[in-house]
Amino acid sequence: MKKKLNFMEFMNRCLPNMEDLQDSGQTSGCGSGGCGSQTTANTIVTDGGCSSGGCSSSLAEAFVEPSATCELGTCGCQPESEGFIHKPMNRRDAIKTMVGGTAATVALAQTACSPANTPEEKEEIRLKWSEYFKGNFREMTEKERASTIQRLERLAEMRGKDINVSKLGPQENVLYGYAFNIGKCKGYRKCVDACVHENNQDRDTKMQYIRIFEMENGKINLEDGKADYFHAVPREGHYYIGTQCFQCENPPCVKVCPVGATWKEKDGIIVIDYDWCIGCRYCQAACPYWARRFNWAEPKLSNEQENGKQHYLSNRKRKQGVMEKCTFCLQRTRKGENPACVEACPTGARVFGNLLDPQSEIRKIIASKRVFRLKEELGTEPKFWYYMDQ
Amino acid sequence: MKSLFYFFFDGFKHLYKGGPSYYAWVIFLKIVMLVGLYAWYIQIRDGLQVTGMSDHVSWGFYISNFTFFVGVAAAAVMLVLPAYVLHDSDFSQAVLLGEGVAVSALIICIGFVGVDVGRPDRLWHMIPFIGNLHFPESMLAWDLIVLNGYLALNSLIPFYILFCKYRGIKPNNKLYVPFVYLSVFWAVGIHMVTAFLYAGLTARPYWNSSLLGPRFLASAFAAGPAVIIMVLMVIRNVWKFPIRNVTLDKLAMIATVAAQVNLIMLGSEIFKEFYWPTEHSQSAQYLFFGLHGHDALKGWIWFSIILNIIVTGFMMVHPIRKNHRVLPVLCLLLFISIWIEKGLGIIVPGFIPSPLGEIVEYTPSHIELMVSAGIIALGIFIFTCLSKVAVGIEKGEIKKSQ
């Protein structure tokens, strides 16, 4: 018992105070005076009350949600078994409990290596801790979504960048589609630049979602084209054809993901939860259009370069080891704007719109022009059409 | 309960009994593991950019090795089936060691997947009910289930049998034989599911073939028994464990037949790709002849195929195969040729050219090689421990004390 107490003391010295540990805006848990209320799923909870009095709980419990009521001011942490069995617990809490012990050790080691002394450092640790245990965005409640966004914005603020992360869902009666005029594109690649700036891609490896292939007249297979050209455009005797994520109506990448970290939204956009992806790259192997990119290293993006208008499922800053891809600029289009590539195109080769609106330009193009899609035979039903003016 | 504790206690104690060469071997393995661990630390710190992989070739040496060792694990069935199901007494001495090979190979597989993912810290997202396992749509979810299930089967069956022998009682057939039958089907399952992982991707025409699964099985049943033969011969010589010649001969026969079937399937695949080459044959074109001046794998695959043909040819001659001085050499060469064919020759060319026709080649980096060596050393280390205890119990050196 004595030994455990020492551990707890050490923990309390290293870890943030209880007051810091509660997510702002959420119920407060065990204060040093007594535990009065229940904490919610996504808050990191340590038994702060332990600092004030003798505590008999094990190390693991420090990271487990306290039970609903603590009877005494001296922290009545419930016995381990009781807390675990009798308390209704959702699955995320269960894993918190299970890994609590191990993770506490890791956290301990981390704090020991880089002592978190300032309140800011302590806050950062607890924010990251809560971020680690959050669920898949698709399964979160509105409240959980709001609190993770609050954490993300706060973390950005702490590194000196004001960002605004949206969680705006799909709009009613909207299915996005895209058309690309291969007769108009001159290969300037303004769209590529605009995309990189809008979507906060890694600047180090110059990650790009859009590829423009320079094709010799008379050829149509992309294999014969060249995506890395470095000369003045347009080139005589050539035409240009662009690819990006086609937001397939029947997406192979979604089917193969082992953890459901990527899915199709109601408005037809394939999104990735960057914080749920495990980085196995199965989707990258499954995509017939080579639309997905992987963060092989920590993405490099300075605060000045970062676009602060972000969406949780689109252009927020990525981490090392996760997948990303084009989302037709979800953060813009759900607010009624055009994607950055469409806006940047100087030739008008790019058309974006709502496929469910019979008056939209894209519907008129599909109805009146000769259109085709890439690799139709695979049955992926891309929502990206190529066409040319007669 | 108490005897279970003593079982593990005596087992661990036995691990420390051995001559200098045993100690040297274990220390060597540990050094390789430490080197691998350090390389893995670098990979975690700096990201997968330290590997040779890229957005174009997004799976490389790790996943190739994973695929190959799934085959080695599946091959344990070639001992389990005759020993338990057909009651062929020639296999009864070797079967526990075969299952030990399976367990070690599976740990190698899981290790390779573990180092390949970008976020190993998030692997808990795959645990059903806690994370979201995307079952049954994702073949990787299937693979997780079959690999762990097979690991459990191949750990628990030998554990039960050894535990009974340790206590000097006869294993109860009714308790474990149903699981043996299950493990026979499961063995085929793990390799078919692993093949489906690739064969299900229409984006990669090179893999999108109905022959891939059967081909995987054939090459597994050639390379797996080849490994087991080498292992059994080493154990027989080093620990003086009585393994009969007839066991080795029967295993060699299995490897030979499977190697022949494997070559037939390879030939069939090559015919299909080259009799009328289409756009979908470009990966094969790249692998065997090079594409637009890129031919990094050409030398490897031809070396592998020629070696494979020669070895299979030799193994078909009874006197050569039954010569136990030549047999381990043949097994080693067969193992190497299939490792190249199945590892480098199946996974990497699937990515070249990319679905949009771009050609980016792949060579494993030093970090990748070191991590891989570490994982394989881990598997061999586990096998050394398991087999040492198993042999000790079988020989009566470890017994429950009265």
Side-chain angles (χ1 to χ4, degrees), chain A residues 91 132 139 211 256 282, chain B residues 121 129-130 132 138 197 358:
Chain A
R91 55 204 179 129
Y132 179 72
E139 294 191 340
R211 278 184 101 59
V256 301
Y282 198 9
Chain B
D121 58 320
F129 305 111
I130 295 168
N132 336 67
S138 172
L197 205 70
E358 292 171 274

Side-chain angles (χ1 to χ4, degrees), chain A residues 143-206:
Chain A
K143 206 174 159 190
E144 285 169 337
R145 287 178 180 182
S147 68
T148 178
I149 282 173
Q150 210 168 31
R151 285 194 296 266
L152 290 170
E153 289 177 346
R154 175 74 186 124
L155 279 167
E157 194 187 331
M158 289 167 86
R159 64 177 156 87
K161 176 76 187 178
D162 277 325
I163 61 167
N164 184 358
V165 182
S166 160
K167 59 182 168 63
L168 187 63
Q171 307 302 296
E172 285 293 310
N173 290 321
V174 171
L175 187 69
Y176 293 121
Y178 209 119
F180 185 98
N181 190 336
I182 50 177
K184 275 190 176 166
C185 180
K186 296 279 180 272
Y188 299 132
R189 290 193 286 211
K190 295 277 183 210
C191 48
V192 179
D193 274 350
C195 172
V196 170
H197 287 112
E198 172 66 31
N199 289 300
N200 292 326
Q201 277 104 316
D202 170 39
R203 302 296 203 272
D204 231 24
T205 56
K206 301 194 169 49

Side-chain angles (χ1 to χ4, degrees), chain A residues 189-253:
Chain A
R189 290 193 286 211
K190 295 277 183 210
C191 48
V192 179
D193 274 350
C195 172
V196 170
H197 287 112
E198 172 66 31
N199 289 300
N200 292 326
Q201 277 104 316
D202 170 39
R203 302 296 203 272
D204 231 24
T205 56
K206 301 194 169 49
M207 184 195 286
Q208 296 163 1
Y209 298 156
I210 303 175
R211 278 184 101 59
I212 305 287
F213 287 83
E214 185 176 69
M215 308 290 299
E216 219 175 301
N217 284 348
K219 304 237 168 139
I220 185 65
N221 271 347
L222 288 180
E223 283 89 272
D224 303 320
K226 217 170 146 336
D228 48 347
Y229 52 87
F230 303 97
H231 49 72
V233 288
R235 195 180 189 188
E236 191 59 33
H238 289 76
Y239 72 101
Y240 298 85
I241 185 165
T243 66
Q244 59 203 70
C245 176
F246 295 160
Q247 321 292 350
C248 303
E249 203 42 25
N250 193 9
C253 51

Side-chain angles (χ1 to χ4, degrees), chain A residues 91-92 94-95 98 132-136 138-139 207 211 213 221-223 227-228 243 252 254-260 273-290 292-298 319-323 374-375 377-378 380, chain B residues 43-51 53-60 62-63 116-135 137-141 196-198 200-204 207 279-280 282 292 351 353-358:
Chain A
R91 55 204 179 129
R92 208 81 59 205
I95 192 176
M98 278 186 277
Y132 179 72
F133 280 109
K134 72 181 177 185
N136 186 329
R138 199 162 36 156
E139 294 191 340
M207 184 195 286
R211 278 184 101 59
F213 287 83
N221 271 347
L222 288 180
E223 283 89 272
D228 48 347
T243 66
V254 168
K255 189 169 184 174
V256 301
C257 177
V259 292
D273 182 344
Y274 308 120
D275 293 335
W276 194 254
C277 170
I278 59 171
C280 70
R281 308 190 293 292
Y282 198 9
C283 54
Q284 200 166 25
C287 175
Y289 305 105
W290 199 65
R292 289 183 164 246
R293 304 287 182 272
F294 185 68
N295 285 287
W296 299 93
E298 187 69 36
K319 297 194 183 79
Q320 175 180 308
V322 300
M323 298 300 308
L374 282 189
K375 304 196 187 187
E377 74 275 14
L378 298 182
T380 49
Chain B
Q43 185 187 298
I44 286 184
R45 191 190 60 192
D46 298 348
L48 284 162
Q49 62 170 345
V50 300
T51 67
M53 291 184 274
S54 61
D55 277 330
H56 285 90
V57 184
S58 50
W59 283 338
Y62 295 150
I63 296 297
D116 187 70
V117 297
R119 301 295 307 214
D121 58 320
R122 292 185 189 164
L123 280 175
W124 63 270
H125 293 179
M126 286 187 93
I127 303 171
F129 305 111
I130 295 168
N132 336 67
L133 187 67
H134 195 211
F135 183 84
E137 287 90 344
S138 172
M139 291 317 293
L140 207 53
F196 292 165
L197 205 70
Y198 311 108
L201 303 181
T202 46
R204 312 280 169 181
W207 296 337
E279 206 181 286
H280 290 177
Q282 284 198 322
H292 307 302
F351 290 101
S354 84
L356 298 181
E358 292 171 274

Side-chain angles (χ1 to χ4, degrees), chain B residues 4-306:
Chain B
L4 188 68
F5 170 75
Y6 278 110
F7 173 71
F8 279 108
F9 183 75
D10 288 345
F12 275 111
K13 219 167 63 183
H14 190 70
L15 289 181
Y16 291 93
K17 286 179 197 155
S21 53
Y22 169 72
Y23 268 87
W25 169 245
V26 170
I27 287 168
F28 166 72
L29 289 177
K30 284 184 177 169
I31 290 171
V32 178
M33 279 191 277
L34 281 176
V35 170
L37 198 65
Y38 177 67
W40 189 43
Y41 158 74
I42 293 177
Q43 185 187 298
I44 286 184
R45 191 190 60 192
D46 298 348
L48 284 162
Q49 62 170 345
V50 300
T51 67
M53 291 184 274
S54 61
D55 277 330
H56 285 90
V57 184
S58 50
W59 283 338
F61 203 61
Y62 295 150
I63 296 297
S64 301
N65 275 302
F66 156 75
T67 312
F68 179 77
F69 281 99
V70 170
V72 175
V77 73
M78 285 299 160
L79 287 165
V80 170
L81 187 72
Y84 294 124
V85 180
L86 306 177
H87 301 294
D88 186 334
S89 59
D90 294 336
F91 286 89
S92 56
Q93 287 283 31
V95 66
L96 289 174
L97 297 172
E99 284 164 326
V101 170
V103 168
S104 318
L106 282 167
I107 287 176
I108 292 175
C109 294
I110 292 168
F112 273 118
V113 175
V115 297
D116 187 70
V117 297
R119 301 295 307 214
D121 58 320
R122 292 185 189 164
L123 280 175
W124 63 270
H125 293 179
M126 286 187 93
I127 303 171
F129 305 111
I130 295 168
N132 336 67
L133 187 67
H134 195 211
F135 183 84
E137 287 90 344
S138 172
M139 291 317 293
L140 207 53
W142 279 78
D143 220 27
L144 180 86
I145 292 167
V146 292
L147 287 181
N148 284 299
Y150 195 63
L151 182 61
L153 285 172
N154 273 289
S155 316
L156 292 177
I157 295 168
F159 166 74
Y160 173 71
I161 290 171
L162 288 173
F163 189 44
C164 286
K165 287 191 174 168
Y166 170 75
R167 288 181 298 168
I169 54 178
K170 207 172 173 305
N172 181 353
N173 281 358
K174 279 186 192 142
L175 260 178
Y176 76 94
V177 169
F179 291 103
V180 169
Y181 279 90
L182 184 62
S183 84
V184 169
F185 291 104
W186 211 288
V188 177
I190 62 166
H191 218 21
M192 287 304 264
V193 168
T194 307
F196 292 165
L197 205 70
Y198 311 108
L201 303 181
T202 46
R204 312 280 169 181
Y206 183 64
W207 296 337
N208 189 216
S209 144
S210 49
L211 195 56
L212 199 68
R215 232 182 110 188
F216 272 18
L217 279 182
S219 56
F221 293 152
V227 177
I228 294 172
I229 289 171
M230 291 189 281
V231 165
L232 291 180
M233 288 181 119
V234 170
I235 287 180
R236 181 164 77 169
N237 289 337
V238 176
W239 288 328
K240 311 284 176 250
F241 186 58
I243 287 161
R244 311 222 306 266
N245 280 338
V246 63
T247 312
L248 299 176
D249 287 338
K250 283 185 177 175
L251 274 174
M253 191 69 189
I254 292 170
T256 311
V257 173
Q260 292 166 0
V261 175
N262 183 37
L263 280 178
I264 291 170
M265 290 186 182
L266 183 66
S268 156
E269 196 86 71
I270 291 174
F271 171 80
K272 176 222 144 197
E273 299 281 15
F274 292 110
Y275 183 71
W276 193 274
T278 67
E279 206 181 286
H280 290 177
S281 314
Q282 284 198 322
S283 291
Q285 183 90 31
Y286 166 75
L287 176 64
F288 288 99
F289 304 108
L291 201 61
H292 307 302
H294 301 278
D295 56 0
L297 292 177
K298 193 170 88 176
W300 288 94
I301 195 71
W302 285 112
F303 170 73
S304 150
I305 288 181
I306 291 167

